[in-house]
Amino acid sequence: MNEQHSPVTVSVIVPALNEADNLPHVFATLPAWIDEVILVDGDSEDDTVAVARRLRPDLRVVTQTRRGKGNALIEGAAAAKGDIIVMMDADGSTDGREIHSFVIALTGGADFAKGSRYAPGGGSDDLSPLRSLGNRALTTLTNLLYGTRYTDLCYGYNAFWARHLDALALDCDGFEIETLMNIRAARAGLTVREVPSHERCRIHGESNLHALRDGWRVLKTILRERFRTSAAPRTQVALAK
């Protein structure tokens, strides 16, 4: 994909809390053809915002009004101007060079492009046995309840057409935001295409993710959404080519 890759515009949302040391690595992977980068700052105590602005003078900064990754992504999406919205992490675990694959999936007919570490070609350097087991169990439960065929429920590298924001109706503050997006994409009948993605280890600092606490929140989200509406799931899931 080159500078004239597509007539569509792409916004990348990067939620960040004290990620000043990681942003140089993250921003270095972003393709030159991206139209907009939005940093959503969760009231960082380090130089996250200053470093980000130095790296990308065209950066847009959104300051969170509440706390949590979910709230950061919601507020970033509300500010995005692109046709396509890409959500990635600020810790170095997601590779911006993979955005090409997400955009190809969307311009090729998908409504929602879902990163998967378990799809052929994907992988992870960071998944512990406990997190992997929990993710697979929650993924299996979601597939049973919603008729989906997801391979990786709890992964934050996703992209979708901005016109589907209303259908996703995102309204949670925590790490369960990824699960909510996947379930509501299915319930809305969106065409979902899984994109192989390789997760890397966080470069600096410690993760705010807590496997048991956040796993419980994901489970509650899965069950709550199942009874939120009686509409049958109509999603189509396929691997990106």
Side-chain angles (χ1 to χ4, degrees), residues 40-231:
V40 185
D41 181 57
D43 196 22
S44 296
E45 297 177 353
D46 64 2
D47 294 330
T48 289
V49 174
V51 169
R53 283 183 166 144
R54 184 169 66 248
L55 292 167
R56 292 194 68 100
D58 61 339
L59 181 79
R60 295 181 60 201
V61 176
V62 172
T63 301
Q64 277 187 257
T65 58
R66 296 207 301 271
R67 304 284 291 182
K69 183 179 183 181
N71 173 251
L73 293 176
I74 290 169
E75 297 195 352
K81 298 178 179 179
D83 301 312
I84 288 174
I85 295 175
V86 181
M87 297 177 167
M88 61 181 296
D89 292 332
D91 59 5
S93 61
T94 49
D95 188 341
R97 286 168 291 228
E98 293 181 357
I99 292 174
H100 169 272
S101 299
F102 287 87
V103 174
I104 289 295
L106 293 170
T107 55
D111 298 311
F112 189 100
K114 180 185 180 316
S116 174
R117 295 162 291 186
Y118 297 104
S124 177
D125 301 328
D126 190 47
L127 268 176
S128 67
L130 176 62
R131 286 179 55 209
S132 182
L133 178 62
N135 187 18
R136 287 182 180 275
L138 293 167
T139 301
T140 299
L141 177 62
T142 297
N143 288 339
L144 288 172
L145 291 179
Y146 297 96
T148 51
R149 293 184 295 163
Y150 294 149
T151 63
D152 192 355
L153 184 70
C154 306
Y155 189 43
Y157 208 168
N158 299 292
F160 53 89
W161 291 100
R163 62 178 178 263
H164 295 310
L165 266 175
D166 287 344
L168 297 175
L170 303 177
D171 57 1
C172 67
D173 289 343
F175 282 99
E176 70 273 17
I177 187 74
E178 291 109 12
T179 296
L180 189 69
M181 281 193 290
N182 294 331
I183 290 174
R184 290 192 176 168
R187 308 268 321 178
L190 302 185
T191 298
V192 179
R193 185 163 296 171
E194 289 198 328
V195 176
S197 177
H198 191 97
E199 179 187 39
R200 290 163 174 77
C201 293
R202 163 180 280 275
I203 300 172
H204 298 287
E206 295 183 2
S207 173
N208 293 313
L209 177 68
H210 297 277
L212 295 179
R213 179 198 67 191
D214 293 308
W216 174 241
R217 293 182 67 163
V218 168
L219 177 59
K220 289 193 295 183
T221 298
I222 294 169
L223 298 176
R224 183 184 67 245
E225 288 296 304
R226 178 64 180 83
F227 299 104
R228 185 179 66 89
T229 174
S230 60

